[in-house]
Amino acid sequence: MKLYDYILSPSCYKVRLMAALTGVKLDLQPVDFHPGLEHRGPELLALNPAGSIPILKDGDLILTESSAILVYLAAKAAAEWLAGDKPEEAARVQQWLSFSGRLTTSLGGARLHEMLLRPGDIDALQAQGISALRELEAGLVEQSLRGRRFVAADRPTVADIACFPYVALAPDGGVSLDPYPAIRLWSRALRSLDGFIEMPGIHRLHELKPEPLIETGEA
Ligand SMILES: N[C@@H](CCC(=O)N[C@@H](CS)C(=O)NCC(=O)O)C(=O)O
């Protein structure tokens, strides 16, 4: 399977991470995203008219949209990363896969603005990112009340992988993760999974300081 890839792209990293976690081997085809804008050139536009990466090629099959690619890899190699047969779980996985698109436009847009000087209303992008982070924090707190560490189920699913990279890289776009303890614990849980791989700016758990205990207010 060939992945059209850019090392600093969180969306491409989702695919690399999913492949690593599920034991799928990828043939990486580097794309000159910046400064070359190769993803907007004729060869890649022919594969993805939306002008974005990642793009996955498996034989004659061409897939775009990172969430669809995550589902494809999981369906091929490790179905436990997909929703099981419980209706709520199926809906929750879908909910957070859709939600991940908001992280891409808000936190991802802020990151592109700050790192690659892309034009955009940075205040609005950051505000949208913060609103999405608050929603994710609330979802994870709700899950933790049910004894769960992951967004959609009692185990990690494609939905966690879809949401994780843009959240972890939020500080690149000037958005702090300090106010979100449940998100930080979730991030730690993902970064400690067997097979986890890094990208620039997202490190393995062992390189980080211990998380301070959260005050419960109880005596
Ligand atoms: N909805 C797409 C979005 C992916 C996306 O935004 N990719 C970025 C790279 S991280 C991109 O190609 N952006 C096009 C551009 O900024 O020119 C997906 O999930 O695959």
Side-chain angles (χ1 to χ4, degrees):
M1 273 187 242
K2 184 196 277 192
L3 175 67
Y4 290 83
D5 182 51
Y6 178 58
I7 184 70
L8 293 177
S9 155
S11 296
C12 294
Y13 169 64
K14 292 180 193 184
V15 179
R16 297 196 302 272
L17 177 59
M18 190 79 237
L21 290 166
T22 55
V24 172
K25 187 164 168 6
L26 291 176
D27 169 19
L28 298 181
Q29 170 76 44
V31 172
D32 180 8
F33 181 85
H34 181 84
L37 294 176
E38 190 186 347
H39 56 296
R40 298 191 199 163
E43 192 194 331
L44 291 195
L45 279 179
L47 298 178
N48 183 11
S52 65
I53 49 174
I55 302 168
L56 187 80
K57 199 165 180 302
D58 186 16
D60 290 340
L61 177 70
I62 292 165
L63 288 174
T64 63
E65 290 302 323
S66 54
S67 291
I69 297 172
L70 298 183
V71 167
Y72 182 73
L73 293 181
K76 274 200 105 160
E80 66 274 17
W81 284 83
L82 300 172
D85 52 12
K86 294 188 196 118
E88 181 187 344
E89 192 173 290
R92 294 282 175 222
V93 167
Q94 203 54 54
Q95 176 194 331
W96 292 109
L97 284 176
S98 300
F99 171 85
S100 70
R102 280 173 47 205
L103 298 171
T104 307
T105 47
S106 59
L107 297 175
R111 182 170 175 269
L112 282 176
H113 185 280
E114 296 299 274
M115 288 183 67
L116 303 184
L117 306 179
R118 281 281 177 88
D121 180 344
I122 185 66
D123 293 336
L125 291 168
Q126 289 174 340
Q128 288 155 15
I130 288 167
S131 143
L133 287 175
R134 287 183 181 149
E135 200 175 316
L136 177 61
E137 177 78 5
L140 287 167
V141 168
E142 203 172 308
Q143 283 289 86
S144 77
L145 296 175
R146 302 164 84 183
R148 298 173 169 187
R149 289 183 301 160
F150 301 100
V151 283
D154 55 2
R155 62 186 191 290
T157 65
V158 286
D160 295 282
I161 304 306
C163 292
F164 170 67
Y166 285 101
V167 170
L169 292 168
D172 283 354
V175 176
S176 170
L177 293 174
D178 288 353
Y180 311 109
I183 288 179
R184 294 201 307 276
L185 287 172
W186 167 74
S187 169
R188 292 171 68 84
L190 289 169
R191 284 180 286 117
S192 61
L193 291 173
D194 283 348
F196 182 87
I197 57 165
E198 305 181 341
M199 75 164 271
I202 301 185
H203 306 293
R204 283 201 180 86
L205 191 58
H206 64 82
E207 295 182 14
L208 299 171
K209 286 191 293 189
E211 193 72 24
L213 288 174
I214 300 169
E215 293 287 340
T216 61
E218 288 170 22

